[in-house]
Amino acid sequence: MNVGGEAYRTIWLAEDRRTVEIIDQTRLPHEFVTLALRDVNDAVQAIRSMQVRGAPLIGVTAAYGVCLALTADGSDGALEVACDALFGSRPTAVNLSWALQTMRKALAEVPPSDRVTVAYETAAKIADEDVASCRAIGEHGAELFADLIRNKEREGGTEPLNILTHCNAGWLATVDYGTALAPVYTAHDAGLAVHVWVDETRPRNQGAALTAWELGQHGVPHTVIADNAGGHLMQHGRVDVCVTGSDRTTGTGDVCNKIGTYLKALAAHDNGLPFYVALPHSTIDWSISDGIADIPIEERDEREVTHVSGLGEDGAVITVRVTPRGSPAANAAFDVTPARLVTGLITERGVAPASAEGLAGLYPERAE
Ligand code: MRU
């Protein structure tokens, strides 16, 4: 996608074809800064500190983290140590372990002397496949939007299609295009009238900071709302459809995404509105069937709840406390939306019901 008219992915190789470059997402929307990752510790730190974030991008960064580790030491031991460190950097998005497994499998039979080359080739393939998946998600989701627009027009509606999204499941969360926002970009580029309600997404404000920024860069009409506003907008007919991303989807269609997603799904259900979740296959955890029981939910530092950052009067970024000193805070980063609240899953292979059967229909090779 374009930033100031220049095409960017969220992760790429520097001219030396070894150093990994990223956009530092902790600096957005106020500053656009790129960073170089030179060793595996840089990659672990970038994931942990959320300089890169979003399930697909975490996976690709982990894959490149393996490349960086092998550049220094191609031994089996170094590979294991690197995979363990990367695996522990964030627990919820299954794309991380999926990418590490993919790297391990590709490297299994490769002698240490050839590992660096194979590792970079495999990481690039994972990145390119993510881009292709997101493009396809965009096509399938945009068809859905076109249907909803036709229905809306038949009923006399004149407003654009109002789409509510939570967190950031745009191109910044992937290598390019995004998951939940890919259909928005595809529809917008095709001339369909869309408008996005952007949940601010406390505590880290990925909606207010990242989704709003990338939609703005692409010229997509959008409005940032407080996290608690969605239910009210739905009751007043101002939301037509909700679309979010996913960090881990069970083989039965339960979806784990940024904290607060579940409440939006409940409100959509109560208002008879479609609630779609967009995800590539790398986000499906085929080994589990009960999202609430089986998905590890990341607990993050309470400081993310007690403090907020933003632009001060003098144009410098400042951080301020919003809670009384001494009030403890809790910070679960994700929640699970049960499949029964999900209208459909938008994947690179098409749209399916959020169920074991629905997923088996799309991925018959995975059906047991
Ligand atoms: O904590 P984050 O910012 O990594 O959480 C990101 C999300 O919850 C996204 O919705 C999810 O990763 C899907 S991204 C395509």
Side-chain angles (χ1 to χ4, degrees), residues 138-139 142-143 145-146 149-150 153 158-161 163 182-195 218-221:
E139 296 294 328
E143 280 172 30
F145 287 177
I149 289 171
R150 276 191 289 275
E153 283 170 356
T158 50
E159 270 203 19
L161 187 75
I163 301 151
V184 171
Y185 291 126
T186 306
H188 173 82
D189 291 350
L192 300 180
V194 293
H195 163 263
H218 200 76
V220 178

Side-chain angles (χ1 to χ4, degrees), residues 25 50 52-58 90 93 95 134 166-170 173-174 178-180 201 204 206 210 244-248 256-259 261 278-280 283 298 300 333-334:
Q25 301 195 20
M50 295 177 61
V52 290
R53 28 69 51 203
L57 179 56
I58 290 172
R90 285 194 81 189
N95 306 60
C134 289
H166 192 69
C167 194
N168 172 261
T174 63
T179 57
T201 318
R204 287 187 66 106
Q206 288 95 327
L210 305 178
T244 73
S246 168
D247 281 80
R248 195 182 291 230
C256 182
N257 192 52
K258 181 53 55 193
I259 193 84
T261 302
L279 58 130
T283 301
E298 178 180 15
R300 292 188 63 85
F334 299 93

Side-chain angles (χ1 to χ4, degrees), residues 206-262:
Q206 288 95 327
L210 305 178
T211 299
W213 180 79
E214 59 163 272
L215 289 173
Q217 288 288 322
H218 200 76
V220 178
H222 63 280
T223 308
V224 180
I225 51 174
D227 280 332
N228 299 324
H232 164 77
L233 292 170
M234 292 182 205
Q235 286 174 329
H236 289 270
R238 304 195 60 198
V239 177
D240 297 304
V241 57
C242 302
V243 187
T244 73
S246 168
D247 281 80
R248 195 182 291 230
T249 303
T250 66
T252 52
D254 292 345
V255 171
C256 182
N257 192 52
K258 181 53 55 193
I259 193 84
T261 302
Y262 170 52

Side-chain angles (χ1 to χ4, degrees), residues 1-9 171 176 213-214 216-218:
M1 305 292 285
N2 287 339
V3 179
E6 198 180 329
Y8 274 90
R9 283 184 172 188
W171 74 272
D176 211 346
W213 180 79
E214 59 163 272
Q217 288 288 322
H218 200 76

Side-chain angles (χ1 to χ4, degrees), residues 111-122:
S113 56
D114 296 341
R115 279 188 180 157
V116 172
T117 308
V118 174
Y120 275 97
E121 280 168 8
T122 309

